[in-house]
Amino acid sequence: MNTALTPPALWRRALAELVGTGLLVAIVVGSGIAAQRLSPSDVGLQLFENALATAMGLAVLIAVFQPVSGAHLNPVVTIADRVLGGQARGGHIVVYLLAQCAGAAGGAVLADAMFGVPTALSQTDRTTAPHLLAEVVATAGLVLVVFALVRTGRGPAVAPAVGAYVGAAYWFTSSTSFANPAVTIGRVLTDTFAGIAPASVGPFVGAQVAGAAVGVGLVLVFFPGAGRVVRR
């Protein structure tokens, strides 16, 4: 956990969020494309390969960028941090959100380019009641994991814990646990294994915001006396 009294400059933190979120989406999309090519006849194995790469990659990215920006890499984490006592001002939050969304879009385009896949809007419709319920559950769990650790002084455990949780959530949720509005937006730009149709984005983001609210509520119930959240 970063205990420095003076945080890095805002531009440095925003760049960390942009690059970190971009790399996260590149990992999600790129490993999905690789999985389709390596295991073309086995969807279960494709999902396993995609989940494993995402879980490991996310843990590494959090460990790398945690000392700079807190490694939110996710708008709901940024907003939950503020609700739970973070010191970031409104303008700083907007910068984080813009950086995350821009990075996510760039990461999808980068992954497509690395595999020689034309960038195109996804045709994969994911808007079903089970998928939306899964996004509420996945996002609530993610927020609970992150802030349970941060608010109890176990910030260094966030990277492996979040990686493990997301890897598991690929399998126990029907939506494969997007749990991240920026990543959801970025995945519109790839018509591959990890893509999501533009029409599904609004419902998915709404479910994620609802899940984040549930997660924040659970954090306040279980850890009401914890100190202020600054950075994880």
Side-chain angles (χ1 to χ4, degrees):
M1 185 173 182
N2 190 343
T3 58
L5 295 177
T6 303
L10 178 60
W11 71 263
R12 198 183 305 275
R13 284 178 279 152
L15 182 60
E17 289 295 302
L18 185 148
V19 173
T21 310
L23 289 174
L24 172 59
V25 174
I27 290 168
V28 172
V29 174
S31 63
I33 297 170
Q36 280 186 312
R37 293 182 177 180
L38 294 170
S39 309
S41 61
D42 192 334
V43 178
L45 184 55
Q46 291 173 12
L47 183 61
F48 174 76
E49 292 161 350
N50 190 211
L52 181 62
T54 300
M56 293 190 300
L58 178 57
V60 171
L61 291 174
I62 292 173
V64 168
F65 292 108
Q66 199 171 28
V68 183
S69 66
H72 294 185
L73 314 182
N74 187 335
V76 298
V77 172
T78 298
I79 294 170
D81 177 64
R82 183 67 185 90
V83 171
L84 290 169
Q87 296 176 334
R89 297 190 296 273
H92 291 190
I93 293 172
V94 172
V95 171
Y96 262 48
L97 300 188
L98 292 175
Q100 291 158 357
C101 290
V109 173
L110 175 62
D112 286 342
M114 287 192 293
F115 285 90
V117 175
T119 295
L121 296 181
S122 174
Q123 302 300 309
T124 305
D125 182 12
R126 299 177 184 266
T127 307
T128 69
H131 282 130
L132 297 180
L133 175 60
E135 282 301 291
V136 173
V137 172
T139 310
L142 175 64
V143 170
L144 178 60
V145 169
V146 170
F147 292 100
L149 295 173
V150 174
R151 288 169 70 88
T152 55
R154 294 175 289 167
V158 169
V162 169
Y165 173 78
V166 169
Y170 257 81
W171 290 91
F172 77 74
T173 66
S174 61
S175 65
T176 66
S177 183
F178 283 42
N180 185 327
V183 169
T184 302
I185 292 169
R187 287 167 70 166
V188 167
L189 298 176
T190 181
D191 194 17
T192 61
F193 184 80
I196 179 172
S200 297
V201 170
F204 257 59
V205 171
Q208 291 158 1
V209 171
V214 172
V216 167
L218 291 173
V219 171
L220 292 174
V221 167
F222 292 129
F223 309 100
R228 292 177 64 114
V229 177
V230 180
R231 303 256 289 273
R232 71 175 192 258

